[in-house]
Amino acid sequence: MYELGEDIELLAEFPRPTPQGRSEDDWVAPDLSFAVFQDETSYTAVHRDGSRMWQQPSGAWSTSRRGHVGFAMAGPYRETQVLLRLPSGTVGKSLFAALDSTGKVLARTSFPAVGRSGTWGWPGDPTAI
């Protein structure tokens, strides 16, 4: 257990895209400009005011495989880019899509799924589970 003290401040708050819905995972962009919520069928990006920026279908995941969101600051102006893990439809592969902050798909590629539970990682990656 950790004692956090009194010097904590709330930096950002993001309402869920559907208040009655359930989110599997939530991710916040490094610049705190938006958050990405994952439910059973899609990823949804929202602004702090709760307005929807974009939605990307994620297909159906099995119980042993989950989606994942990563962020990168890229380009000369350090624009936020989003990396989504999607079901590939191919055994042993995971599909990744890179999007800009408006939801435009910039690139798609697939990588081998490795590890005990079929989670993604580079072949031979000792950190893959």
Side-chain angles (χ1 to χ4, degrees), residues 68-93:
H68 180 79
V69 174
F71 295 97
M73 305 302 278
Y77 301 106
R78 308 290 292 158
E79 298 95 6
T80 301
Q81 292 183 355
V82 183
L83 180 68
L84 303 178
R85 178 178 178 224
L86 305 164
S88 70
T90 304
V91 175
K93 297 268 187 179

Side-chain angles (χ1 to χ4, degrees), residues 55-68:
Q55 188 169 33
Q56 174 73 34
S58 64
W61 291 100
S62 69
T63 56
S64 64
R65 292 187 168 175
R66 290 289 201 217
H68 180 79

Side-chain angles (χ1 to χ4, degrees), residues 16-126:
R16 293 196 186 286
T18 54
Q20 71 280 8
R22 187 174 136 256
S23 182
E24 299 287 325
D25 287 300
D26 311 330
W27 294 273
V28 177
D31 63 359
L32 305 178
S33 61
F34 66 97
V36 177
F37 295 89
Q38 178 196 358
D39 63 22
E40 295 161 346
T41 60
S42 65
Y43 295 103
T44 304
V46 296
H47 285 288
R48 288 183 187 190
D49 64 5
S51 62
R52 187 174 294 189
M53 297 171 57
W54 51 262
Q55 188 169 33
Q56 174 73 34
S58 64
W61 291 100
S62 69
T63 56
S64 64
R65 292 187 168 175
R66 290 289 201 217
H68 180 79
V69 174
F71 295 97
M73 305 302 278
Y77 301 106
R78 308 290 292 158
E79 298 95 6
T80 301
Q81 292 183 355
V82 183
L83 180 68
L84 303 178
R85 178 178 178 224
L86 305 164
S88 70
T90 304
V91 175
K93 297 268 187 179
S94 286
L95 177 65
F96 288 87
L99 289 73
D100 66 12
S101 61
T102 67
K104 177 184 173 191
V105 176
L106 304 171
R108 287 182 181 262
T109 190
S110 62
F111 288 105
V114 298
R116 293 185 304 275
S117 65
T119 58
W120 66 275
W122 300 108
D125 179 0

